[in-house]
Amino acid sequence: MKTNFLFYFFFILFQCSHAEYSIAVAGGLEIYSALQSNDTSVIRTQLDALDKSSLKEKDAYTGALMMKMSGLLKSGMEKLSVFKKGRVKLEQSIKIDSLNVEYRFLRLLIQENVPDFLNYHSKKVEDAGMIKASFSKLNPDLQETIINYSKNSKLLKPEDLHK
């Protein structure tokens, strides 16, 4: 029974796109497009490109993509394993650069879309506050991505984002 319960929740994890975000291209990578996708091949393509990349954001992007992909996998154990590995990568990136607003945005995207039982929601308010406070200093592509996401977010609203 418990296995079926976990499988059901992992099955729905990220099955529907939370928002229509614009595609932010980072070093030739379409990270936000892949995060929006429910196609594991799209996500794997970005993960493969990141693996060859020297971007400083590599681990944060990889972590977020792994957590997204975990909801699209078939095996409950594999889902949990991939999610945990992705979380470690993203959290380590945030620990190293705690003021990086894009990392906080990536975490907020994940936190607002995972089931409660994964206990990955504790920093939502903090991350949303940091995004709001720093929004005007972000590059225009990331600003546009955040604005588009905010149209469906529970914590970020377009009127809270000031250029």
Side-chain angles (χ1 to χ4, degrees):
M1 178 76 168
K2 186 177 182 182
T3 304
N4 288 339
F5 175 77
L6 288 174
F7 179 77
Y8 172 74
F9 278 100
F10 276 110
F11 180 76
I12 64 169
L13 179 66
F14 300 126
Q15 286 300 311
C16 57
S17 292
H18 184 70
E20 293 296 319
Y21 346 137
S22 63
I23 300 170
V25 178
L29 302 171
E30 295 179 353
I31 301 304
Y32 293 99
S33 178
L35 284 170
Q36 182 178 322
S37 174
N38 286 324
D39 183 345
T40 58
S41 66
V42 170
I43 297 169
R44 288 182 203 278
T45 297
Q46 291 306 302
L47 287 169
D48 290 344
L50 279 167
D51 191 44
K52 299 170 188 160
S53 167
S54 60
L55 290 172
K56 76 176 184 97
E57 301 90 354
K58 175 181 180 174
D59 285 342
Y61 291 153
T62 298
L65 287 168
M66 289 175 73
M67 286 188 280
K68 165 64 181 193
M69 189 171 70
S70 71
L72 303 172
L73 300 173
K74 294 192 183 337
S75 160
M77 296 302 286
E78 185 181 15
K79 289 173 185 266
L80 187 57
S81 174
V82 171
F83 182 85
K84 286 180 176 180
K85 288 175 186 173
R87 181 168 74 181
V88 166
K89 285 187 171 291
L90 181 56
E91 290 298 327
Q92 285 177 340
S93 296
I94 292 170
K95 187 175 183 180
I96 291 167
D97 189 358
S98 64
L99 299 178
N100 188 309
V101 179
E102 185 172 18
Y103 296 174
R104 299 300 189 99
F105 176 60
L106 289 168
R107 182 166 68 183
L108 181 65
L109 283 170
I110 303 299
Q111 291 182 107
E112 283 200 302
N113 288 285
V114 296
D116 289 339
F117 76 88
L118 287 174
N119 295 320
Y120 195 63
H121 300 92
S122 64
K123 302 289 185 178
K124 287 192 299 193
V125 173
E126 177 185 321
D127 291 345
M130 185 176 190
I131 293 164
K132 291 173 193 175
S134 302
F135 183 77
S136 65
K137 299 173 192 141
L138 301 175
N139 75 54
D141 288 336
L142 185 55
Q143 283 181 342
E144 186 65 27
T145 299
I146 293 171
I147 288 170
N148 287 333
Y149 176 79
S150 72
K151 294 172 185 172
N152 295 303
S153 171
K154 292 178 181 155
L155 293 170
L156 290 178
K157 300 297 175 203
E159 58 270 15
D160 296 333
L161 305 170
H162 305 287
K163 291 184 182 186

